[in-house]
């Protein structure tokens, strides 16, 4: 399984172990899927103090996306697409309000096959409303076409989430993804996370980003794209989205971390753009 996907699952789990309630995001399934070796908490990437802001970013973006899905489901949207799904567990947790949603998980064939086996081994299964969509991006496969082949209805609106993905794509691939998503049916939403250029973040956060970049490069997944908020907003607008909105780290802090006295808050280096068709 992809190391970055495992890291996200473990940071979600660590949030419930080392951070004080109220919890921003509750996911007890991801760690079961990841099945880490004993002693995983002693990894350098699990140091609760050094990784706190990165961990907060992970749970904040997950909470934001799932709040968006719940909001849109209340408006009748019944399709949810997760690009670069990794060990996402929305389908296994089935949050309230999501009972009528078809979930489409798009990922590389090998890690997705691994996840399918884990879902079957753990008894979660792959119900008919969960569509695992393998796409070999390196071979030039089109996720849009594969999505349709898996039963996605282009005529109906959807929520599309792309979190923790843009950094690993080339600028050209990011632009192509935005153009594809902008062709979704009217009333659709795209939430995409992005990493700020390191020159725009503080020294402590820069150190964490640089650590993540080194780990990614060592695992064969180097960081390829950084964006300023205005650059990504402009790219989304040029791609054809009707509205675009910058979701800043301070916004996420105010929304999900207000009143905390433990200093637990998101990494300022990672933010989101929300675009609608």
């Amino acid at each position: 399984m992809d190391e970055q996907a495992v890291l996200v699952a473990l940071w979600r789990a660590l949030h419930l172990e080392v951070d004080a309630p109220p919890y921003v995001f509750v996911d007890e399934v991801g760690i079961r899927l990841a099945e880490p070796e004993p002693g995983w908490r002693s990894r350098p990437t699990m140091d609760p103090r050094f990784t706190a802001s990165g961990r907060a970013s992970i749970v904040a973006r997950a909470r934001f996306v799932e709040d968006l899905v719940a909001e849109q489901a209340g408006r009748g949207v019944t399709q949810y697409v997760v690009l670069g799904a990794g060990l996402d567990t929305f389908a296994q947790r089935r949050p309230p309000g999501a009972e009528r949603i078809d979930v489409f998980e798009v990922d590389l064939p090998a890690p997705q096959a691994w996840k399918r086996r884990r879902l079957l081994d753990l008894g979660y299964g792959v119900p008919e409303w969960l569509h695992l969509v393998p796409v070999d991006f390196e071979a030039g496969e089109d996720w849009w076409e594969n999505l349709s082949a898996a039963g996605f209805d282009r005529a109906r609106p959807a929520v599309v989430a792309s979190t923790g993905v843009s950094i690993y794509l080339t600028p050209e691939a990011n632009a192509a993804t935005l153009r594809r998503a902008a062709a979704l049916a009217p009333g659709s939403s795209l939430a995409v996370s992005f990493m700020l250029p390191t020159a725009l973040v503080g020294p402590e956060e820069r150190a964490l980003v640089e650590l993540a970049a080194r780990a990614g490069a060592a695992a064969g997944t180097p960081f390829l794209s950084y964006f300023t908020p205005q650059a990504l907003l402009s790219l989304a607008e040029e791609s054809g989205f009707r509205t675009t909105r910058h979701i800043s780290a301070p916004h996420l802090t105010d929304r999900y971390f207000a009143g905390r006295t433990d200093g637990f808050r998101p990494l300022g280096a990672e933010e989101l753009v929300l675009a609608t068709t």
Side-chain angles (χ1 to χ4, degrees):
M1 188 59 191
D2 175 72
E3 282 300 315
Q4 184 62 26
V6 172
L7 176 67
V8 168
L10 297 186
W11 275 4
R12 286 182 175 187
L14 201 63
H15 174 52
L16 304 180
E17 293 188 10
V18 304
D19 300 319
Y23 301 119
V24 176
F25 189 78
V26 177
D27 177 6
E28 299 175 311
V29 178
I31 191 170
R32 296 191 67 204
L33 290 174
E35 195 179 28
E37 75 284 354
W40 64 269
R41 295 170 184 81
S42 63
R43 294 180 183 180
T45 54
M46 294 297 125
D47 184 315
R49 295 162 298 177
F50 182 61
T51 63
S53 60
R55 190 169 64 252
S57 282
I58 293 294
V59 297
R61 77 189 191 194
R63 174 69 179 275
F64 178 84
V65 167
E66 294 200 4
D67 282 355
L68 174 66
V69 174
E71 172 192 301
Q72 294 302 308
R75 297 177 178 175
V77 175
T78 58
Q79 299 185 111
Y80 174 36
V81 180
V82 189
L83 298 180
L87 291 176
D88 187 89
T89 61
F90 177 90
Q92 288 72 53
R93 290 178 290 105
R94 203 73 159 154
E99 294 81 7
R100 296 185 299 277
I101 291 181
D102 277 297
V103 181
F104 297 83
E105 295 190 5
V106 179
D107 212 341
L108 293 168
Q112 191 168 84
W114 183 93
K115 183 178 182 180
R116 179 187 288 273
R117 289 194 298 271
R118 292 294 297 152
L119 290 173
L120 295 174
D121 290 345
L122 292 172
Y124 292 108
V126 183
E128 61 180 10
W129 45 263
L130 173 58
H131 311 269
L132 302 181
V133 186
V135 177
D136 190 343
F137 299 99
E138 295 178 358
E141 285 189 356
D142 189 337
W143 64 269
W144 182 255
E145 295 299 329
N146 290 25
L147 196 60
S148 297
F152 181 79
D153 187 348
R154 297 186 188 183
R156 293 191 291 124
V159 175
V160 179
S162 176
T163 59
V165 175
S166 67
I167 190 73
Y168 300 106
L169 302 179
T170 64
E172 294 77 15
N174 276 301
T177 297
L178 287 173
R179 287 193 298 272
R180 281 298 198 195
L184 291 163
S188 297
S189 305
L190 168 70
V192 55
S193 71
F194 64 97
M195 199 72 75
L196 291 169
T198 53
L200 299 183
V201 301
E204 291 186 6
E205 295 187 326
R206 188 180 308 154
L208 184 56
V209 173
E210 290 173 348
L211 173 66
R214 289 195 296 272
T221 52
F223 286 8
L224 299 176
S225 293
Y226 298 82
F227 292 96
T228 64
Q230 190 54 55
L232 192 55
L233 288 168
S234 296
L235 188 58
E237 291 166 2
E238 292 165 4
S239 298
F241 282 99
R242 179 174 56 84
T243 69
T244 59
R245 179 184 169 199
H246 174 213
I247 309 298
S248 68
H251 173 87
L252 293 173
T253 299
D254 291 342
R255 183 167 177 174
Y256 298 122
F257 300 81
R260 296 191 74 102
T261 59
D262 55 4
F264 185 58
R265 56 179 47 83
L267 181 74
E270 185 179 40
E271 301 190 322
L272 296 115
V273 159
L274 175 62
T276 62
T277 59

